Amino acid sequence: MSSAVCVAKVTLLSLLANGTLIAIALSAGYRTASFVYHAATHKTLHERVRREMRERAGLDFNEHLLPLREPPVIACRAHLSRVAGALEGGANVLLQTMWQAVMLESIGLTLRVFVCAYVLSKLGAQFDALQLAWLAFVTLFIVPKLWSLRPPIVDEKIAMARVHARHAWMAAKERVLSQIPPSVLAKAL
């Protein structure tokens, strides 16, 4: 009797990246559902959730969920050592950036975090921790050297891509976002 064992290659990096992707997807799904609910009923989903929590579970929405609106902060102990202060400051910036991305405060930031989390989840699934550390160490020294050796045409192409991206965003904003009244967006979200 033989049994097949399927072992998933999972690293902490891929777990964190996948968790970030799921959090962004859930937040975007809630915002979409909230917008559709408001468009259909002219009531906010936020009020409905608050009422359901109070009636079914006896929970006060303000007490349990409003503290989640503030980004998490790690208490800095910079007075102990400069390295500890730098690491904790970096962790605070990372947590606040992730929080802003999950809360969909900025579309651009959310998209950047989503792409980074996707790439990190794929990397984390392909490599183990030692390979990722080695890859990061080697990349740390190779990429700056390659960047310093780039031809001037690369800068021109990057500038042109930025201009095209800016024009595409302005066109999308003009065609789509300008059609939605600000009062509807404020109530729905």
Side-chain angles (χ1 to χ4, degrees):
M1 180 157 80
S2 71
S3 65
V5 177
C6 179
V7 177
K9 193 172 187 181
V10 178
T11 62
L12 181 61
L13 178 67
S14 65
L15 287 175
L16 291 173
N18 285 327
T20 302
L21 291 173
I22 290 169
I24 290 174
L26 288 174
S27 182
Y30 175 78
R31 295 289 176 105
T32 304
S34 176
F35 182 77
V36 170
Y37 183 81
H38 178 71
T41 64
H42 301 293
K43 298 177 184 175
T44 62
L45 187 60
H46 178 74
E47 292 299 321
R48 171 90 188 236
V49 170
R50 179 183 293 185
R51 187 177 66 245
E52 291 291 329
M53 283 179 63
R54 188 173 44 249
E55 290 173 1
R56 292 183 181 201
L59 298 175
D60 182 19
F61 185 82
N62 291 332
E63 179 183 332
H64 293 283
L65 293 181
L66 284 184
L68 295 176
R69 299 187 90 176
E70 295 297 321
V73 176
I74 297 173
C76 287
R77 294 180 292 260
H79 62 280
L80 295 179
S81 86
R82 289 183 180 170
V83 175
L87 289 175
E88 289 171 344
N92 278 334
V93 169
L94 176 68
L95 283 173
Q96 289 174 353
T97 301
M98 298 294 284
W99 185 258
Q100 291 169 353
V102 169
M103 290 294 136
L104 304 175
E105 290 184 8
S106 166
I107 301 273
L109 178 67
T110 300
L111 289 175
R112 286 191 303 260
V113 168
F114 185 85
V115 168
C116 287
Y118 180 77
V119 168
L120 289 176
S121 70
K122 291 298 182 185
L123 281 175
Q126 297 298 321
F127 301 108
D128 63 5
L130 184 61
Q131 290 171 330
L132 284 173
W134 178 250
L135 183 66
F137 182 75
V138 169
T139 303
L140 185 66
F141 293 102
I142 290 177
V143 170
K145 182 63 177 175
L146 290 176
W147 185 254
S148 68
L149 296 174
R150 73 188 182 282
I153 195 161
V154 172
D155 290 333
E156 294 171 10
K157 296 290 183 183
I158 290 173
M160 189 173 16
R162 284 183 180 160
V163 169
H164 287 304
R166 189 174 298 122
H167 287 300
W169 172 250
M170 296 304 277
K173 191 174 180 181
E174 181 180 312
R175 290 183 189 151
V176 177
L177 295 178
S178 66
Q179 302 300 320
I180 301 171
S183 60
V184 172
L185 281 177
K187 289 179 184 176
L189 302 177

